[in-house]
């Protein structure tokens, strides 16, 4: 797909992400018993928050003369790289594990990226990316483990501070490899919000952060068994674990059914369809996890406002939702 910005090539140095809306949700506020704000990263031009950090990283490596991006991805980082690459005029290969959604594949191809399907889980695609980037000028754009990615994701918090004015009582987000978490923590430190607690949500079977927190060291899962494939990094970034020593991070795990229930309820409540990776974050409220943490005294009973980072995701449409519901015995 050609557009004017492609011709500008490397001169494109404005951020590639947009400032997203912060929506007060009546339905989620009812469910949580306090005001819930949704940071709508699903409306980014690439369908998820990933463009913030990945866009920033791609712009920086493009300045240094990168000739080809290679991105091992669960899907959404791949769309972000493909979009950034088109804007910057740099060829791209996206490596995806099996099972990617056809709409997502079409999007990648239309952005001009070459797509290769590698292995069953993201970690296998990651190994191949490391091989491919031994060529001079080919650069590996990882989906979550890079300081420039965290710097880019940190912009979410600057926007929140600007829009909300006051600090929220808690921030809820999903954790895959921990890039979003690391970016949010970086942003919170910059704006002086490091004492705001974070609820870090994962699904069972993709819970590499929770297991690392419990063990006090990085843990590599034997396999990814959750439907939330985009949370499926077998090992989180070391930085994600460090963050747990710097801020109050409450790590919680929901099962796939709770994540998909959250996707369904969110569709009814807000008329927006997100993938299970994002359902995990919404499930903190819908599944009663938040209320339990308050009852246990791990979170204040009077939180004021809550922010949920609606990370979004492209791996979903009506057919995919039906398929997931069938797999989970829900239809
Ligand atoms: N997805 C990565 C890693 O996948 C990817 O390649 O797209 N929510 C959504 C919609 C996501 O796509 C991801 C990551 C996350 C949450 C988790 O973000 P992270 O990895 O920065 O913790 C294997």
């Amino acid at each position: 797909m050609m557009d004017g910005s492609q011709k500008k090539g490397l001169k494109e140095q404005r951020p590639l992400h947009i400032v997203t809306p912060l929506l007060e949700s009546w339905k989620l506020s009812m469910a949580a018993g306090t005001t819930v704000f949704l940071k709508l990263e699903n409306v980014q031009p690439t369908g998820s928050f990933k463009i913030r950090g990945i866009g920033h990283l791609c712009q920086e490596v493009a300045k240094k003369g990168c000739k080809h991006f290679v991105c091992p991805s669960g899907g959404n980082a791949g769309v972000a790289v493909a979009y950034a690459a088109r804007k910057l005029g740099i060829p791209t290969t996206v490596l995806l594990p099996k099972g990617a959604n056809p709409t997502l594949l079409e999007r990648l191809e239309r952005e001009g990226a070459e797509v290769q399907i590698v292995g069953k889980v993201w970690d296998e695609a990651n190994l191949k990316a490391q091989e491919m980037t031994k060529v001079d000028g080919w650069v590996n754009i990882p989906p979550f483990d890079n300081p420039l990615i965290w710097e880019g994701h940190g912009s979410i918090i600057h926007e929140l501070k600007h829009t909300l004015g006051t600090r929220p009582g808690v921030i809820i987000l999903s954790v895959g490899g921990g890039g979003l978490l690391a970016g949010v923590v970086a942003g919170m430190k910059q704006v002086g919000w490091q004492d705001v607690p974070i609820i870090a949500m994962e699904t069972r079977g993709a819970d590499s952060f929770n297991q690392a927190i419990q063990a006090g060291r990085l843990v590599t899962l034997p396999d990814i068994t959750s439907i939330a494939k985009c949370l499926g990094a077998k090992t989180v970034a070391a930085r994600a674990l460090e963050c747990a020593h710097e801020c109050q991070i409450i790590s919680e795990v929901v099962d796939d059914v709770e994540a998909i229930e959250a996707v369904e309820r969110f569709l009814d409540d807000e008329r927006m369809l997100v993938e299970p990776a994002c359902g995990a974050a919404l499930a903190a409220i819908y599944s009663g996890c938040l209320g339990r943490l308050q009852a246990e005294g791990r979170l204040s009973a009077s939180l004021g406002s809550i922010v949920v980072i609606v990370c979004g995701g492209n791996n979903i449409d009506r057919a995919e939702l039906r398929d997931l519901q069938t797999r989970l015995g829900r239809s």
Side-chain angles (χ1 to χ4, degrees):
M1 202 193 286
M2 282 288 287
D3 67 10
S5 53
Q6 190 170 33
K7 289 190 213 107
K8 277 189 263 149
L10 296 178
K11 292 197 199 84
E12 181 57 81
Q13 284 305 327
R14 286 166 302 176
L16 297 170
H17 65 266
I18 63 161
V19 173
T20 52
L22 186 69
L23 185 78
E24 183 177 333
S25 166
W26 177 70
K27 284 283 181 72
L28 273 134
S29 300
M30 297 278 284
T34 190
T35 310
V36 174
F37 290 102
L38 303 170
K39 184 64 174 158
L40 294 180
E41 292 302 299
N42 54 326
V43 305
Q44 286 289 354
T46 61
S48 82
F49 71 96
K50 290 266 169 185
I51 188 60
R52 291 182 183 266
I54 299 248
H56 181 50
L57 173 61
C58 287
Q59 284 177 319
E60 291 304 309
V61 298
K63 277 189 215 159
K64 297 197 176 106
C66 161
K67 294 199 191 76
H68 197 116
F69 296 135
V70 178
C71 178
S73 172
N76 296 314
V79 175
V81 175
Y83 176 84
R86 172 166 61 85
K87 298 280 179 190
L88 296 165
I90 294 178
T92 302
T93 305
V94 176
L95 307 174
L96 299 176
K98 270 188 216 128
N101 180 274
T103 318
L104 183 136
L105 291 175
E106 190 194 341
R107 167 85 193 256
L108 287 172
E109 274 154 19
R110 296 230 171 187
E111 290 284 7
E114 184 212 354
V115 179
Q116 291 183 25
I117 307 293
V118 184
K120 202 169 124 306
V121 297
W122 171 81
D123 299 76
E124 291 169 64
N126 189 35
L127 288 178
K128 169 108 193 235
Q130 284 164 12
E131 265 310 298
M132 285 174 70
T133 46
K134 286 181 181 154
V135 179
D136 197 32
W138 286 45
V139 178
N140 186 0
I141 306 291
F144 54 81
D145 200 359
N146 185 293
L148 289 171
I149 294 182
W150 310 330
E151 192 175 289
H153 291 341
S155 57
I156 293 178
I157 300 299
H158 290 270
E159 286 172 27
L160 277 178
K161 176 148 195 204
H162 181 77
T163 320
L164 269 181
T166 55
R167 65 183 60 206
V170 65
I171 295 179
I172 302 175
L173 49 76
S174 299
V175 175
L180 177 59
L181 174 68
V184 162
V185 167
M188 284 172 52
K189 285 181 163 180
Q190 284 157 4
V191 306
W193 282 6
Q194 59 272 38
D195 50 345
V196 174
I198 297 172
I199 307 182
M201 299 297 298
E202 294 177 291
T203 48
R204 197 157 290 110
D207 50 344
S208 43
F209 181 63
N210 187 266
Q211 294 208 18
I213 294 280
Q214 288 189 33
R217 59 175 168 77
L218 292 178
V219 171
T220 300
L221 303 178
D223 196 8
I224 301 299
T225 53
S226 167
I227 57 163
K229 292 295 174 220
C230 271
L231 301 185
K234 286 185 185 173
T235 320
V236 290
R239 175 69 197 133
L241 191 55
E242 273 171 32
C243 287
H245 302 297
E246 297 169 15
C247 287
Q248 191 197 341
I249 300 178
I250 304 175
S251 164
E252 288 289 316
V253 180
V254 288
D255 57 35
D256 280 350
V257 170
E258 288 168 309
I260 207 76
E261 258 171 22
V263 169
E264 292 165 358
R265 280 185 66 179
F266 192 63
L267 181 59
D268 285 344
D269 288 352
E270 298 299 337
R271 300 155 309 283
M272 291 184 216
L273 181 58
V274 293
E275 63 174 75
C278 179
L282 297 164
I285 294 178
Y286 286 133
S287 77
C289 181
L290 179 87
R292 176 174 47 76
L293 291 170
Q294 289 178 299
E296 288 170 0
R298 293 175 65 197
L299 269 181
S300 160
S302 49
L303 284 168
S305 65
I306 297 174
V307 171
V308 183
I309 300 180
V310 181
C311 44
N314 296 280
N315 287 296
I316 193 82
D317 52 24
R318 278 184 302 156
E320 183 72 29
L321 178 60
R322 267 197 304 272
D323 185 45
L324 292 171
Q325 287 167 326
T326 310
R327 277 165 60 191
L328 295 173
R330 294 179 58 75
S331 57

